[in-house]
Amino acid sequence: MANQPSSYPILCASFNQDASLFAIGTRDGFRIFDSNNGRLCYERALGAFNIVEMLFSSNLVAIVGAGEQPSLSPRRLCLFNTMSGNALRELNFLTSILAVRMNRKRLIVLLQDKTYIYDINSLTILDTIDTVPNLKGICAFSPSLDGCFLALPASITKGSLLLYNVMELQLHCEIDAHLAPLSTMVLSSNGMYIATASEQGTMIRVHLVSEATKSYSFRRGSYPSTIFSLSFGQCSQVPEILVATSSSGSVHVFPLGFAINQRRSGGFLGSIMLDSISDALDPAHHHIVHNAVPAGIKSYAVIRKVDRVADTSSSEIVACRATLAIITYNGYFQEYNLSLSNQNEFSRSLDCEFNLLTAIANNDVRL
């Protein structure tokens, strides 16, 4: 997640594709941590960075400067080797880079009104997408090669989005998700589902990508709030849970796998009712971790791991346990253990918390 210039000590934060590592960019450089134990694996003091994106657990990191030093232009993408400490390639653009995404086959670069799709091995441009003005670099990307989709805003006046299949290099569909413009969105790791929130921040919606149909709607709250991040749990089919962080400082946990007392939107009634009306019928069935972070502080949360608990007699999934990692842009890392049951029981505990800016590197750890 790239951040616009601000007073936060952390300018950007990201997890790699399997959430085993996470990185932060500061005004001094960038740092990479092991998600499992919180150890600082790598740091480089080169100047301010707005974007730091990793490719799984490889030595390849995509970095973009914040423009505070002449050598770190926000219009230059550097593919950096953390092992050698050298730049492998640099790509220059006419305007500032707002987001970068990668998997083992594709490199995606977002500008304000254009998106470039590259072959990550040859760095050949495969496609160029003209987009509506996207000043915040809003996008979603699924790293799975079988369901490799890129989602981009389709409008600046309403919450519609375009889904591209970046392996086949073609438009898949358009989804009208909200009445207000989009603020954030995320694709599940397998590319099956996309979750979205608008600038109003009261509703979270989940659509099935293959059919471009709405599967779930959740009411986060009645009052507007800025949704900072959305994250699905890792999954092979339907994600068990979805989490959202917002400017209220709370973390909202939405169960998907159980769908307890949750009606899927759609059907005949949904087809003849306006979204504003049918959403009023969607139950506010979710759990809240209150005051997880200070109100107003930007945060980024990821479900790192989900363990399913089955009934020994019936093999039915009766509970799931999830590990939730949160990065706050004022410089802290938190990890919560969440537990949800098919009886709508919920518990959570704070497992660890530490300052990302004062951590000391372990010289025995290398990427």
Side-chain angles (χ1 to χ4, degrees):
M1 292 176 62
N3 191 32
Q4 299 300 318
S6 71
S7 59
Y8 290 127
I10 292 180
L11 302 181
C12 66
S14 65
F15 284 79
N16 67 346
Q17 290 79 359
D18 59 11
S20 61
L21 299 168
F22 67 90
I24 61 170
T26 70
R27 287 184 168 80
D28 297 320
F30 68 91
R31 308 182 121 199
I32 298 176
F33 295 81
D34 187 325
S35 299
N36 296 302
N37 52 34
R39 276 193 290 180
L40 176 59
C41 303
Y42 184 88
E43 60 180 333
R44 191 78 174 184
L46 296 173
F49 288 94
N50 260 351
I51 294 174
V52 182
E53 291 286 335
M54 297 165 286
L55 180 62
F56 291 92
S57 298
S58 71
N59 300 320
L60 180 65
V61 180
I63 52 178
V64 178
E68 296 185 5
Q69 293 83 14
S71 61
L72 297 177
S73 169
R75 298 186 299 275
R76 180 182 302 122
L77 170 63
C78 174
L79 297 178
F80 188 82
N81 187 320
T82 57
M83 181 65 74
S84 66
N86 296 321
L88 300 175
R89 285 285 300 273
E90 290 185 346
L91 299 174
N92 293 286
F93 300 89
L94 295 178
T95 60
S96 294
I97 301 165
L98 301 178
V100 175
R101 298 292 184 267
M102 294 186 289
N103 67 9
R104 300 189 193 279
K105 294 288 187 180
R106 297 290 184 260
L107 168 68
I108 313 296
V109 181
L110 270 73
L111 308 184
Q112 177 178 323
D113 54 8
K114 287 185 183 297
T115 296
Y116 295 94
I117 301 176
Y118 291 84
D119 180 290
I120 198 169
N121 296 301
S122 65
L123 292 185
T124 302
I125 295 180
L126 301 176
D127 200 2
T128 302
I129 303 170
D130 292 320
T131 65
V132 299
N134 186 7
L135 299 177
K136 296 180 181 178
I138 298 170
C139 67
F141 182 64
S142 55
S144 170
L145 297 182
D146 295 327
C148 189
F149 292 99
L150 171 69
L152 298 168
S155 172
I156 60 174
T157 59
K158 63 178 182 177
S160 59
L161 62 96
L162 297 173
L163 273 163
Y164 292 88
N165 186 318
V166 299
M167 298 305 296
E168 299 177 3
L169 302 176
Q170 63 183 20
L171 177 65
H172 175 69
C173 67
E174 180 173 351
I175 295 175
D176 291 323
H178 302 267
L179 296 179
L182 295 169
S183 67
T184 188
M185 52 186 170
V186 67
L187 279 154
S188 60
S189 58
N190 57 11
M192 290 182 63
Y193 291 89
I194 185 166
T196 59
S198 74
E199 291 179 353
Q200 190 169 2
T202 55
M203 298 295 302
I204 309 295
R205 296 201 174 96
V206 179
H207 284 78
L208 181 63
V209 169
S210 61
E211 300 177 10
T213 54
K214 186 168 65 175
S215 297
Y216 303 90
S217 285
F218 296 100
R219 184 174 293 280
R220 181 210 54 82
S222 300
Y223 297 100
S225 182
T226 300
I227 304 298
F228 289 136
S229 69
L230 295 167
S231 174
F232 285 110
Q234 297 284 330
C235 60
S236 58
Q237 292 295 321
V238 179
E240 296 293 343
I241 56 177
L242 169 71
V243 298
T245 63
S246 71
S247 56
S248 69
S250 299
V251 175
H252 298 261
V253 182
F254 307 97
L256 299 180
F258 296 132
I260 305 299
N261 297 323
Q262 167 71 42
R263 293 193 310 271
R264 289 190 175 219
S265 301
F268 173 72
L269 183 62
S271 68
I272 62 175
M273 297 177 71
L274 296 174
D275 280 347
S276 59
I277 299 176
S278 61
D279 280 344
L281 301 178
D282 292 333
H285 179 76
H286 73 280
H287 307 282
I288 304 175
V289 181
H290 292 286
N291 303 316
V293 300
I297 298 296
K298 187 175 181 180
S299 57
Y300 178 39
V302 163
I303 294 289
R304 289 206 307 110
K305 183 171 60 174
V306 176
D307 295 318
R308 296 161 181 83
V309 180
D311 185 290
T312 54
S313 59
S314 64
S315 298
E316 177 188 0
I317 302 299
V318 295
C320 71
R321 300 187 182 97
T323 302
L324 171 68
I326 306 174
I327 298 171
T328 62
Y329 278 58
N330 63 342
Y332 288 88
F333 175 87
Q334 297 177 336
E335 187 166 277
Y336 283 87
N337 291 319
L338 309 178
S339 178
L340 299 98
S341 77
N342 61 357
Q343 300 300 313
N344 198 25
E345 298 170 336
F346 174 74
S347 64
R348 87 281 187 181
S349 61
L350 179 62
D351 186 56
C352 72
E353 181 177 17
F354 63 89
N355 191 315
L356 294 167
L357 304 174
T358 59
I360 299 174
N362 185 328
N363 292 329
D364 295 330
V365 180
R366 293 288 185 272
L367 291 179

